[in-house]
């Protein structure tokens, strides 16, 4: 009985850890999402302004700013148990 209780605790710990994303996965998700988002921004900016220089300038700035915001947003949500 004691061993059964011990194994139940260990299994719960493993389940909790497996439901969390590791930091490397969060980084890869951040980069891949940002590439998609930046391409979208480049296209929209080009259609609005008609200049590739303006589109690239805006795209470059938002690529890094939104990547940082998304990364910290993702890590914060990883700590929230809602829906897990």
């Amino acid at each position: 009985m004691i061993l059964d209780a011990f194994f139940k605790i260990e299994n719960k710990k493993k389940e909790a850890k497996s439901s969390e994303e590791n930091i490397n996965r969060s980084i890869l998700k951040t980069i891949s999402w940002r590439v998609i988002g930046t391409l979208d921004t480049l296209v929209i900016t080009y259609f609005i302004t008609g200049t590739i220089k303006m589109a690239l300038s805006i795209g470059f700035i938002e690529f890094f700013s939104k990547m940082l915001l998304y990364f910290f947003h993702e890590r914060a949500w990883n700590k929230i148990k809602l829906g897990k």
Side-chain angles (χ1 to χ4, degrees):
M1 285 202 298
I2 294 173
L3 287 176
D4 288 338
F6 174 76
F7 285 118
K8 285 181 185 178
I9 291 170
E10 287 301 311
N11 286 337
K12 285 183 181 181
K13 287 180 185 177
K14 287 179 184 176
E15 288 173 11
K17 285 183 181 181
S18 67
S19 67
E20 289 185 18
E21 291 198 358
N22 69 33
I23 196 162
N24 291 332
R25 182 173 164 84
S26 291
I27 290 170
L28 289 174
K29 284 175 62 178
T30 299
I31 292 169
S32 68
W33 177 246
R34 204 56 258 140
V35 167
I36 293 168
T38 298
L39 290 173
D40 179 55
T41 298
L42 290 172
V43 170
I44 291 169
T45 305
Y46 179 73
F47 283 140
I48 292 172
T49 66
T51 63
I52 194 70
K53 185 177 180 181
M54 181 65 77
L56 290 172
S57 296
I58 292 171
F60 181 78
I61 291 168
E62 70 91 44
F63 180 82
F64 292 103
S65 66
K66 289 184 180 175
M67 190 182 321
L68 284 171
L69 290 171
Y70 177 83
F71 176 79
F72 289 113
H73 178 262
E74 178 77 11
R75 298 309 296 168
W77 267 99
N78 196 33
K79 298 203 181 294
I80 297 171
K81 297 199 186 310
L82 180 68
K84 285 189 174 182

